[in-house]
Amino acid sequence: MKNIKRMLSALMVLVLMLSFSVPAFAADRSELEKTIQKTAAYLQKMVKEPQVSSIGGEWTIIGLARSEADVPDDYFETYYETVKETLKDKKGVLHGKKYTEYSRVALALTAIGADISSVGGYDLLKPLADFEKVTAQGINGPIWALMALNNGTNGTKEICQRYVDEILSRQLADGGWNLSGKGRVDPDVTGMVLQALSNYIEQTAVKTAVEQALTCLSNLQDETGGFSSYDTNNSESVVQVIVALGELGIDLKDERFVKNGNTLLDALLSYWNKDGSFSHTGDGESNLMATEQGLYGLVSAWRNLEGKSSLYRMDDVTLSVADGKEASGEKQSDIRKAEAIAEGKTFADIQGHISQTEIEALASRGIISGVNEDNFAPDATMTRAQFASIVVRALGLPQKEVNQFTDVKKGEWHWSAVGTAYHYGLVSGKTAITFDPNGTITRQEAASMVTRAAKLCGMDTELEEYAIQNMLTQFGDYPSVSPWARESVAFCYQKNILDQCDWNIEPNRNINRSEIALMIYNLLDRAELL
């Protein structure tokens, strides 16, 4: 009888063990799927019309497309049409310096089944074959070029290998990577590097570098299962490592990445809010950038658990989106140029200029004018009074009579514009009573003024220190940005309002007329005022 009881007890223990272990794993998956659905719904509510943008654009598209969340078919179709229109408007040049724009858009379009070799008449991967321009952006350039080329149809083996070698050459002594190539390892950047190198793991040098980086990341992981960048625990760092493990085919429960019983997924979910959003830090405040990354981090984890292809291995995506019959990008450009010339909206000295489209658009609206009837002088500087006048016209602000400055006299052409700009807090004086209307404007001063204009337009211009650091440290000369301008410069780069200069900010250089036109155009575009 005792033996029978012992056998029954042992059997009950075994049944209990099975009943708790199997459903727990299933429950994890079930809860993860529900979380993905809720975050996907939140993003669709917040990003109703995804744009070509690092926030409110491609990362939302990638997360939604690589999940099995409920997404209306026309959501992706609308984004595709937006990309085509953007390419046409910009004559195929998404950015003159920042080539990650091409990579990001190429990945998003690949995720929705688009033919990225012909989008509005343009091949999105062609610019990524330019090694010098891609690497001029810093390590971000080759990282994302590799990611896009590996998913594309015309990425050559030679150029990909050059990017691999370039990335390997930038590995830090601790085994990881960062943006500057100096100082501490950044888990975000290290995670992204591992994602890019995952397709080359069979190479001895790559395998060695990857193993060193994994050891480095394991050592950096804290007891919550998460990571810190710039001394701040944040969700984005966790996401990039989750995706890295997914691309490398490493289980999320790998003992190297379980700390105090907490996995990377546990750490990521600690930033999740009940409305479906994610927080950047543990403060509970929703952050769109964090939510976009949070979604594709969840999707990567889910694909890992389900044994599906990883987030960026998109061989499972069927080509389903392609251009119909339409004029090529070059032909469309010729048509726009002819229309602009016929309507007197262009200038002889901006033909073929990188900011031609933006200058013509502002000129057609009476926001900006040339130095004379035929010329715009794109490389000339602009005075503080001229800049104030342009911003006031761009925002359509009611005129205000303000007698604040002794060097801005009533009756002078700029008197009303300067007073109006000052009234609305867009500009300040050089002193309490002088404005210096004929003085020039530096790039950081222009960024500060445009950021104030953005705030007046209802845009959220406040950035956390982490976001400021993350944005500015991409540039070699970021220490030369004045403390008072750091947040404004970072905001303008985050929103792709301010152009970069060979991967430098050049904050103290006088800004020229074409750069100002580009900034004002981009501001109006981001604020949806065009």
Side-chain angles (χ1 to χ4, degrees):
M1 181 67 71
K2 289 182 179 179
N3 287 336
I4 293 174
K5 287 183 177 180
R6 288 192 187 119
M7 290 175 64
L8 288 173
S9 296
L11 183 61
M12 289 179 66
V13 170
L14 180 59
V15 169
L16 285 171
M17 287 175 62
L18 290 173
S19 67
F20 279 107
S21 61
V22 175
F25 186 66
D28 286 346
R29 293 187 181 185
S30 175
E31 288 303 313
L32 180 56
E33 289 171 358
K34 290 178 183 178
T35 304
I36 289 173
Q37 288 285 359
K38 192 157 188 178
T39 300
Y42 176 88
L43 275 177
Q44 289 177 73
K45 181 175 68 174
M46 299 301 294
V47 185
K48 291 183 173 62
E49 296 182 1
Q51 302 297 305
V52 176
S53 176
S54 58
I55 299 178
E58 286 70 41
W59 301 124
T60 290
I61 292 295
I62 291 170
L64 292 174
R66 298 297 282 158
S67 71
E68 291 187 358
D70 298 324
V71 184
D73 291 339
D74 61 358
Y75 190 85
F76 296 136
E77 292 170 4
T78 299
Y79 168 72
Y80 182 75
E81 292 301 319
T82 297
V83 173
K84 287 203 302 183
E85 289 304 312
T86 300
L87 285 166
K88 290 177 182 179
D89 289 343
K90 293 180 174 292
K91 303 178 180 63
V93 181
L94 289 179
H95 203 286
K97 308 284 186 183
K98 196 175 178 184
Y99 273 47
T100 47
E101 295 289 298
Y102 298 99
S103 302
R104 193 182 67 242
V105 173
L107 286 168
L109 291 180
T110 300
I112 64 174
D115 179 5
I116 52 179
S117 67
S118 179
V119 185
Y122 296 99
D123 182 351
L124 282 178
L125 298 184
K126 187 176 180 180
L128 299 180
D130 191 326
F131 181 83
E132 298 302 324
K133 289 185 178 178
V134 168
T135 55
Q137 188 177 342
I139 197 170
N140 262 348
I143 287 173
W144 292 103
L146 263 186
M147 301 284 281
L149 290 168
N150 284 333
N151 284 288
T153 57
N154 62 347
T156 64
K157 188 173 182 179
E158 180 183 357
I159 191 64
C160 286
Q161 187 59 51
R162 290 186 70 187
Y163 290 138
V164 169
D165 295 340
E166 178 68 18
I167 290 171
L168 291 178
S169 72
R170 300 188 185 210
Q171 190 171 23
L172 300 170
D174 291 344
W177 284 263
N178 63 20
L179 290 173
S180 67
K182 300 177 182 178
R184 293 182 293 177
V185 169
D186 187 339
D188 294 51
V189 177
T190 302
M192 290 187 287
V193 166
L194 294 182
Q195 295 162 34
L197 293 179
S198 63
N199 285 316
Y200 303 89
I201 197 68
E202 75 283 353
Q203 297 182 21
T204 301
V206 172
K207 185 175 182 180
T208 299
V210 167
E211 287 301 325
Q212 291 172 347
L214 289 172
T215 299
C216 175
L217 287 174
S218 178
N219 291 336
L220 288 174
Q221 190 180 21
D222 62 30
E223 292 301 302
T224 70
F227 291 92
S228 174
S229 288
Y230 303 104
D231 299 319
T232 302
N233 283 68
N234 63 91
S235 58
E236 292 92 334
S237 295
V238 182
V239 168
Q240 297 308 328
V241 180
I242 285 177
V243 176
L245 297 190
E247 298 304 310
L248 290 167
I250 298 173
D251 195 297
L252 289 177
K253 294 182 179 180
D254 185 293
E255 61 180 9
R256 290 173 294 179
F257 294 97
V258 179
K259 302 295 166 65
N260 196 30
N262 295 310
T263 67
L264 286 159
L265 185 54
D266 293 323
L268 178 58
L269 290 172
S270 71
Y271 296 95
W272 189 75
N273 301 311
K274 290 183 179 180
D275 62 358
S277 67
F278 275 83
S279 304
H280 163 60
T281 58
D283 56 16
E285 292 185 7
S286 297
N287 180 289
L288 184 56
M289 179 176 72
T291 304
E292 290 180 316
Q293 293 195 31
L295 175 62
Y296 72 69
L298 292 177
V299 172
S300 176
W302 171 75
R303 298 185 74 87
N304 189 323
L305 287 172
E306 292 292 324
K308 294 179 177 288
S309 63
S310 62
L311 184 72
Y312 291 121
R313 294 181 192 271
M314 302 183 191
D315 295 339
D316 58 332
V317 178
T318 304
L319 183 64
S320 58
V321 181
D323 283 348
K325 293 182 179 179
E326 59 180 21
S328 68
E330 184 178 358
K331 185 175 180 182
Q332 290 285 349
S333 175
D334 291 341
I335 292 172
R336 282 197 311 277
K337 185 181 292 185
E339 290 173 345
I341 294 173
E343 297 175 17
K345 298 175 183 176
T346 191
F347 305 96
D349 59 353
I350 64 168
Q351 302 310 304
H353 193 281
I354 191 171
S355 299
Q356 178 182 346
T357 299
E358 290 80 8
I359 294 170
E360 290 172 346
L362 296 183
S364 70
R365 291 166 171 78
I367 294 172
I368 202 167
S369 58
V371 294
N372 56 45
E373 186 176 342
D374 300 319
N375 294 294
F376 182 76
D379 297 324
T381 59
M382 185 175 285
T383 67
R384 287 166 54 80
Q386 290 170 336
F387 188 81
S389 180
I390 289 170
V391 175
V392 167
R393 287 200 297 269
L395 301 186
L397 298 175
Q399 299 294 303
K400 299 292 182 181
E401 295 186 0
V402 178
N403 292 303
Q404 176 68 25
F405 305 111
T406 58
D407 55 355
V408 179
K409 306 290 186 183
K410 189 171 184 177
E412 293 177 322
W413 71 267
H414 53 262
W415 177 75
S416 179
V418 171
T420 301
Y422 178 78
H423 173 81
Y424 286 99
L426 301 177
V427 299
S428 57
K430 284 289 187 177
T431 70
I433 60 172
T434 61
F435 181 73
D436 189 20
N438 296 316
T440 53
I441 301 174
T442 65
R443 284 168 56 83
Q444 65 180 2
E445 287 174 332
S448 180
M449 294 178 189
V450 167
T451 299
R452 293 175 197 151
K455 186 174 183 179
L456 191 63
C457 293
M459 297 177 69
D460 182 2
T461 62
E462 294 185 7
L463 299 179
E464 297 174 355
E465 182 59 28
Y466 166 83
I468 296 172
Q469 287 273 10
N470 193 38
M471 193 61 60
L472 296 185
T473 52
Q474 301 176 64
F475 305 95
D477 63 347
Y478 77 92
S480 60
V481 178
S482 299
W484 55 265
R486 290 176 72 254
E487 185 171 18
S488 295
V489 171
F491 168 79
C492 286
Y493 276 121
Q494 184 190 72
K495 298 298 183 183
N496 291 325
I497 291 174
L498 182 63
D499 198 9
Q500 56 190 316
C501 310
D502 294 326
W503 210 237
N504 279 313
I505 300 171
E506 297 186 7
N508 297 304
R509 174 174 64 77
N510 288 334
I511 196 166
N512 63 44
R513 289 168 55 82
S514 66
E515 291 174 316
I516 287 174
L518 182 62
M519 287 186 73
I520 297 300
Y521 180 92
N522 288 340
L523 167 65
L524 297 177
D525 181 48
R526 307 302 181 265
E528 300 182 357
L529 295 177
L530 285 176

